[in-house]
Amino acid sequence: MPTDVYLYDAVRTPFGKYGGALAGVRPDDLAAHVLRTLVERAPALEPDRVDEIVLGNANGAGEDNRNVARMAGLLAGLPTSVPATTVNRLCGSSLDAAIVASRQIAIGEADVVLVGGVESMSRAPWVLPKPEKAYPAGDATLVSTTLGWRLVNPRMNLEWTVPNGEATELLAIRQQVSRESQDAFALRSHQAAARAWEEGFYDGLVVGVPGVDLARDESIRPDTSLAKLAALKPAFRKQDGTVTAGNSSPLNDGASAVLLGSPSAEEIVGRPPLARIAGRGAAANDPQYFGFAPVEAANTALRRAGIGWSDVGAVELNEAFAAQTVACINAWGVDPGIVNAHGGAIAIGHPLGASGTRVLGTLARSLQAAGKRWGVAAICIGVGQGLAVVLENLDT
């Protein structure tokens, strides 16, 4: 029989703006910092007792190339005997890393796994495709690896390759999500994040990066308003669009991590677990409706956990766009007040590979703060996928 899998600790860096305070820090150093922090915060954990490192990373085209998980483990000072692997499921990479690691633990192949994700969208390089023939006579184009489709296969269905913003416009139309509801949700994200920081919710969950003067998430705008958000022009459809820079997640840099373990890991790490991973789910749909994929992923995870939406007391859904977040909330039929109660990616930021374990760690802390037993962490993924994990709070 599979063994239970527990979440023992969670940590992340503040998330920096694109070109902001963390732009001078390499992604492998960001990842190393959160891994090192997890080990240091586990009183009894000897580094050689770590069985595996699993990190998520979406771009992998620059300084995060060549298995950034292994590089981060070495930079963090972990023994060379600790193996490491990097997972890429785009925006869901680190939540996928947690799922991969939890399965290793469940079948008895590991007791302690460091899991996380990292992205430096500021430092993502341009790439230049190799020519098919030597000495081409024409011009060559540099392609940005920061975000979205690149070097698209011409055989791919054109409907599937629309930019994420246009895809979100299509979803907003299909699910009848208005511009007004998107802006209202974005405002709530900023207000909730600012309030959570002021009330100390993120104390202990967020650790500053050495040598960088950044104590809080850099993209939060506590002074924004519905009027300011309504004044922004559509970013993707100039005439009739509803998706703007204000109701979308920004580009960011950052890293996050969680410590997962078996029941016997409590003695190894020297601290009790915070939550149990009770269910996992993955789903896929048409790529242009990627933002809606968390709906079925979460439903699947809940079914595998043996509970329903009426049991859920907290939800952390990555806010790639307000339109897709609102669409998912409406489809689930849950109270919006339990979703992202401490702010979401529209305010906090969305460094692609780091967002999965960011929502997972925040969920564990949110369940504790609210005294609720069951929670769902979910994320949408470009090219039409979604992931979800159900946590059971052990303090109830």
Side-chain angles (χ1 to χ4, degrees):
M1 292 293 292
T3 187
D4 284 333
V5 181
Y6 297 109
L7 188 154
Y8 285 86
D9 196 9
V11 69
R12 68 174 176 89
T13 69
F15 286 175
K17 289 182 180 179
Y18 183 82
L22 295 181
V25 184
R26 289 175 57 112
D28 45 5
D29 284 326
L30 290 173
H33 175 54
V34 291
L35 295 181
R36 187 184 305 111
T37 300
L38 279 182
V39 174
E40 291 173 348
R41 295 196 337 183
L45 180 59
E46 296 295 334
D48 60 0
R49 295 299 304 273
V50 175
D51 294 302
E52 184 90 51
I53 300 167
V54 187
L55 290 187
N57 179 249
N59 282 330
E63 295 160 338
D64 46 7
N65 78 94
R66 201 161 174 79
N67 192 2
V68 68
R70 177 61 169 168
M71 303 306 162
L74 296 174
L75 289 166
L78 288 161
T80 58
S81 59
V82 177
T85 187
T86 300
V87 175
N88 186 346
R89 205 191 289 230
L90 301 181
C91 300
S93 295
S94 57
L95 196 59
D96 203 17
I99 290 172
V100 168
S102 70
R103 289 175 179 148
Q104 288 180 291
I105 296 166
I107 64 175
E109 291 184 349
D111 283 312
V112 177
V113 183
L114 301 182
V115 179
V118 65
E119 210 76 55
S120 176
M121 300 178 83
S122 295
R123 299 176 73 87
W126 294 279
V127 296
L128 183 66
K130 283 185 177 180
E132 295 180 5
K133 297 181 179 179
Y135 308 111
D139 295 332
T141 301
L142 288 170
V143 179
S144 174
T145 66
T146 298
L147 180 69
W149 289 86
R150 50 188 180 266
L151 307 179
V152 180
N153 191 319
R155 296 178 55 247
M156 191 71 73
N157 186 327
L158 291 179
E159 289 183 338
W160 297 343
T161 65
V162 296
N164 289 346
E166 172 60 20
T168 303
E169 292 282 12
L170 294 172
L171 181 62
I173 293 169
R174 194 185 74 170
Q175 299 302 126
Q176 300 181 344
V177 182
S178 68
R179 166 71 185 269
E180 291 73 21
S181 64
Q182 293 176 53
D183 286 348
F185 188 87
L187 176 63
R188 174 184 178 270
S189 183
H190 285 283
Q191 291 177 336
R195 183 172 60 251
W197 272 107
E198 291 301 323
E199 293 176 351
F201 174 81
Y202 288 111
D203 294 351
L205 184 59
V206 179
V207 293
V209 177
V212 177
D213 184 17
L214 182 66
R216 296 186 177 186
D217 301 307
E218 201 172 8
S219 296
I220 300 172
R221 299 191 300 277
D223 59 345
T224 194
S225 66
L226 281 179
K228 290 179 180 179
L229 290 167
L232 296 174
K233 295 181 179 180
F236 303 97
R237 289 190 177 186
K238 302 304 181 184
Q239 299 301 319
D240 59 347
T242 62
V243 179
T244 72
N247 57 40
S248 307
S249 61
L251 306 179
N252 297 93
D253 310 324
S256 64
V258 297
L259 195 161
L260 299 185
S262 66
S264 60
E266 180 172 353
E267 182 178 349
I268 298 171
V269 303
R271 61 185 303 163
L274 303 175
R276 179 178 71 92
I277 292 182
R280 300 170 286 254
N285 55 18
D286 290 344
Q288 67 270 34
Y289 296 115
F290 74 94
F292 206 60
V295 172
E296 187 53 35
N299 290 341
T300 298
L302 286 168
R303 184 172 65 251
R304 290 172 176 166
I307 61 171
W309 279 110
S310 61
D311 301 300
V312 174
V315 178
E316 286 293 326
L317 172 61
N318 191 58
E319 300 166 0
F321 298 88
Q324 61 85 205
T325 309
V326 172
C328 291
I329 293 171
N330 291 344
W332 289 326
V334 298
D335 175 5
I338 70 170
V339 181
N340 300 352
H342 304 96
I346 289 172
I348 293 168
H350 180 22
L352 309 178
S355 289
T357 38
R358 195 275 298 175
V359 297
L360 189 63
T362 304
L363 178 64
R365 184 64 59 85
S366 295
L367 288 170
Q368 284 190 320
K372 301 296 183 180
R373 180 178 179 184
W374 299 103
V376 176
I379 195 164
C380 69
I381 302 165
V383 203
Q385 297 192 80
L387 289 175
V389 170
V390 173
L391 288 185
E392 180 185 17
N393 178 20
L394 300 179
D395 286 344
T396 56

